[in-house]
Amino acid sequence: MHVLALLWTLVLLLKEAQAWGFRNGIFHNSIWLEQAAGVYHRESRKGRYQLTYKEAKAVCKYEGGKLATYEQLEAARQIGFHVCAAGWFDRGRVGYPIVKPGANCGFGKVGIVDYGYRLNKSEKWDVYCYNPNSKECGGVLTEQQKIIQSPGFPKEYQDEQICYWHIRARIGQRIRLNFLEFDVEDDTSCLADYLEVYDSYDDVSGFAGR
């Protein structure tokens, strides 16, 4: 398969069949990223900084979670949660957690880079949610080679498990996917359990196959 995209999004939706696209206007417009201590970071499928405060709250609520508080974000940061992307958190606040200082991220600071309470709730950022019971998994992959496994492999994955993996490459690079072992619930229509591949953030034009 000829690949020119910067980002491949692997979406593994297990046990619960739902069509891609918008649901209640929000959920399927966002993608799963890093997680620690129940705190996780989402950005819009359109790209970075595309969620208003209202949309950010809806993303978290849909999954049974809520916007992370400052204290929850800091607790996650204390155990290594480092994301160089500003996002909404509780009470209309915006910021991001920094573990290691860098010239290009966090202004050389360590801690929560806090943009404060935003008066304009229509501003668009990413979001930091909190749900300690979340069954989601995945992450951002930038290595030259990586084996991706479902949680608990080789044992069966849990019901209603949702995993998102994002493989990022430089312009001009190609990404090859080799399936070493693949076993999901038998369903000829491929609706119960499935793996979908996207070559961009766009749910429609970026869809490569199921």
Side-chain angles (χ1 to χ4, degrees):
M1 183 179 293
H2 188 58
V3 181
L4 295 176
L6 292 177
L7 169 66
W8 275 79
T9 303
L10 302 184
V11 183
L12 183 57
L13 298 181
L14 307 177
K15 210 63 179 177
E16 184 175 4
Q18 295 179 359
W20 264 125
F22 287 88
R23 176 169 178 177
N24 298 330
I26 301 296
F27 177 64
H28 288 296
N29 187 39
S30 61
I31 58 176
W32 170 263
L33 297 179
E34 305 84 355
Q35 179 181 20
V39 175
Y40 56 93
H41 166 226
R42 279 194 182 278
E43 64 183 30
S44 169
R45 185 167 291 279
K46 296 178 182 178
R48 176 177 285 191
Y49 302 154
Q50 295 294 323
L51 297 172
T52 66
Y53 181 60
K54 181 178 179 181
E55 291 169 341
K57 287 197 298 183
V59 167
C60 299
K61 183 178 179 180
Y62 178 89
E63 303 163 343
K66 57 185 178 180
L67 290 172
T69 65
Y70 183 97
E71 292 73 21
Q72 289 164 345
L73 193 58
E74 172 59 16
R77 191 196 69 81
Q78 291 286 343
I79 61 173
F81 189 54
H82 176 103
V83 183
C84 188
W88 293 104
F89 52 101
D90 192 40
R91 298 169 61 190
R93 211 165 175 175
V94 170
Y96 56 97
I98 295 297
V99 173
K100 184 178 180 180
N104 299 320
C105 185
F107 310 102
K109 300 178 182 179
V110 172
I112 304 299
V113 178
D114 192 354
Y115 291 5
Y117 299 96
R118 313 307 293 174
L119 297 178
N120 181 6
K121 299 301 191 295
S122 295
E123 291 179 0
K124 293 185 177 182
W125 304 95
D126 292 351
V127 61
Y128 290 96
C129 302
Y130 177 74
N131 184 358
N133 300 315
S134 173
K135 291 184 179 181
E136 301 212 28
C137 65
V140 178
L141 307 178
T142 58
E143 298 94 331
Q144 289 294 313
Q145 184 173 339
K146 180 75 173 181
I147 295 178
I148 301 173
Q149 297 178 338
S150 58
F153 180 86
K155 295 181 180 179
E156 293 183 356
Y157 46 77
Q158 297 184 48
D159 290 352
E160 299 182 9
Q161 183 81 58
I162 303 176
C163 299
Y164 299 81
W165 287 282
H166 308 275
I167 305 174
R168 296 185 176 179
R170 296 179 183 275
I171 295 176
Q173 289 185 331
R174 296 183 180 184
I175 298 172
R176 176 179 294 173
L177 304 179
N178 294 319
F179 292 85
L180 306 177
E181 185 171 346
F182 189 77
D183 184 16
V184 296
E185 181 178 341
D186 186 19
D187 178 10
T188 56
S189 61
C190 201
L191 292 176
D193 294 2
Y194 55 84
L195 169 73
E196 286 185 332
V197 178
Y198 292 81
D199 65 358
S200 78
Y201 284 112
D202 193 300
D203 285 343
V204 180
S205 64
F207 180 70
R210 176 184 293 185

